[in-house]
Amino acid sequence: MNRTLSIISAMLLVLFFVSCQKELSINEAGNLVPKTVDQDPSLPSIIVNNTQLHAETFGKPSNPMLIILHGGPGSDYRYLLNCKAFANEGYYVVFYDQRGSGLSKRHAKDTYTIQIMFDDLSAVIAHYRTSPTQKVYFLGHSWGAMLATAYINAYPKSVDGAILAEPGGFIWQDVIDYVGRSRSFKLLSETLNDATYLDQFITGKQDEQAILDYKFTLMASADESTESSLGNDGPLPFWRSGAIIQEALFEAGNKEKPDWTTNLKAYTKKVLFIYSERNKSYGLAHAQKVSSAYPNVNLVKINGAGHDMLSFPTGWSNFYPIALKYLNQL
């Protein structure tokens, strides 16, 4: 709720300022939401697979690689920067905003597919890998854990270990069921009304992605209200939402109804699967159902935390030693 009010206040100031300054327009880069890497060359980035991704690394490049996969689709890695700590323990930690997300370059809606997300991930690995024998681990949160699993299902020999934090599901119906539980706001709820209030003032077409990203941020703020079942401690730090990538991938999911478990039996390496104590939409039963697709899995509950358990002090302090022990034993 506090984040919703803060966003509304800030955006009303933006609208007021823009309306008073003739030389400024909400359609110009940087006026409504932060610029992406193709618009701001000062941002750290890599060019791979015909796109430009906001990315940075921590640690020695020759160490085992730990790739951090953020949620969404359409979030960014800012809320997962606690994971830099793994660099102090002998890991080469790679962060990147996925295509169309955060501060990475935007593309047309019809170019976004699950396969291109796979191809981007393969390209990120190839870009940072220093030798063919360098081990590669994934740490995925929410949608990022789904992406990690979908990739492992397609390329089981390419990943040496994975930490998965509350993926919605690996079979599309499980995803739909979880999203339905976690986004079940009352039609007249104060949070939803706050989040949609400014939507009356700003509209955006498919090619006006800054406006659409801004509007998506307002709707996403409802996840952090006291009415949400996710059990989070408060608002997450973020740079910029990606509205079109989320819409495109959800539409693709509804059309294709993917099953990312068809080849997981071939993946015999141990997987660390974590879920939070306070996310009322998840729980042990859903965690057991989703994680059972892996033949070798360690299922762990993170106490004192909600869905965004990697971002807040209690969740992180309970998660980190478990994750580090897992990685060190691989």
Side-chain angles (χ1 to χ4, degrees):
M1 178 63 179
N2 289 337
R3 181 188 170 193
T4 307
L5 292 175
S6 298
I7 291 173
I8 289 174
S9 299
M11 293 309 176
L12 284 173
L13 286 174
V14 169
L15 290 172
F16 176 77
F17 182 72
V18 168
S19 66
C20 293
Q21 302 292 323
K22 293 183 179 180
E23 68 272 18
L24 296 181
S25 168
I26 59 174
N27 291 311
E28 293 180 6
N31 285 348
L32 192 59
V33 290
K35 293 180 180 180
T36 52
V37 287
D38 52 312
Q39 299 167 333
D40 183 355
S42 70
L43 295 169
S45 69
I46 58 174
I47 296 177
V48 294
N49 197 33
N50 299 312
T51 192
Q52 188 173 0
L53 303 176
H54 179 226
E56 58 184 319
T57 63
F58 299 87
K60 186 178 179 181
S62 60
N63 284 343
M65 186 187 305
L66 178 62
I67 298 184
I68 311 301
L69 298 170
H70 65 71
S75 297
D76 58 51
Y77 68 76
R78 186 177 179 183
Y79 76 97
L80 294 173
L81 283 171
N82 281 338
C83 296
K84 290 190 296 184
F86 290 105
N88 298 325
E89 301 295 337
Y91 295 93
Y92 184 41
V93 184
V94 176
F95 295 89
Y96 77 100
D97 288 343
Q98 296 156 27
R99 177 185 294 248
S101 304
L103 302 182
S104 289
K105 186 176 180 178
R106 298 304 191 260
H107 296 271
K109 180 181 176 180
D110 61 4
T111 66
Y112 292 126
T113 64
I114 292 295
Q115 185 59 52
I116 206 165
M117 305 303 283
F118 291 170
D119 295 343
D120 285 351
L121 182 47
S122 294
V124 169
I125 294 171
H127 180 87
Y128 288 115
R129 203 167 202 168
T130 58
S131 75
T133 60
Q134 185 177 19
K135 291 186 179 297
V136 175
Y137 307 127
F138 289 166
L139 194 167
H141 173 252
S142 195
W143 151 252
M146 294 165 57
L147 176 59
T149 292
Y151 188 92
I152 290 170
N153 190 61
Y155 312 107
K157 295 182 179 180
S158 300
V159 185
D160 297 290
I163 301 170
L164 309 175
E166 287 195 352
F170 306 143
I171 297 172
W172 192 248
Q173 188 57 53
D174 290 343
V175 176
I176 295 302
D177 291 345
Y178 172 66
V179 170
R181 291 194 301 272
S182 62
R183 300 288 173 86
S184 56
F185 293 99
K186 297 177 182 178
L187 181 62
L188 299 178
S189 76
E190 184 179 2
T191 298
L192 192 58
N193 287 341
D194 287 343
T196 56
Y197 175 69
L198 281 178
D199 187 57
Q200 303 172 46
F201 298 94
I202 296 182
T203 58
K205 300 177 182 178
Q206 288 291 332
D207 59 346
E208 296 175 322
Q209 295 205 35
I211 294 175
L212 296 174
D213 290 351
Y214 157 83
K215 292 173 66 178
F216 179 67
T217 297
L218 292 180
M219 295 301 299
S221 68
D223 280 350
E224 292 155 6
S225 78
T226 56
E227 297 175 51
S228 172
S229 64
L230 299 181
N232 292 327
D233 289 14
L236 286 176
F238 72 102
W239 286 300
R240 176 173 169 174
S241 300
I244 294 299
I245 181 68
Q246 184 180 82
E247 182 179 17
L249 292 185
F250 265 90
E251 286 182 2
N254 283 326
K255 179 180 179 180
E256 300 166 10
K257 295 179 173 51
D259 180 350
W260 296 315
T261 69
T262 55
N263 199 33
L264 288 185
K265 296 301 181 184
Y267 191 76
T268 57
K269 297 179 176 65
K270 181 171 282 189
V271 170
L272 176 61
F273 191 108
I274 63 172
Y275 69 103
S276 66
E277 178 186 22
R278 297 207 308 252
N279 185 351
K280 297 177 182 178
S281 298
Y282 212 86
L284 176 60
H286 189 70
Q288 289 174 328
K289 180 181 182 181
V290 176
S291 64
S292 66
Y294 281 98
N296 188 6
V297 63
N298 183 21
L299 179 61
V300 178
K301 180 171 73 173
I302 304 300
N303 291 319
H307 179 64
D308 293 315
M309 64 197 94
L310 308 186
S311 303
F312 299 103
T314 300
W316 174 255
S317 63
N318 290 334
F319 160 79
Y320 182 64
I322 295 170
L324 186 60
K325 181 179 179 181
Y326 163 78
L327 290 171
N328 289 342
Q329 290 177 341
L330 290 174

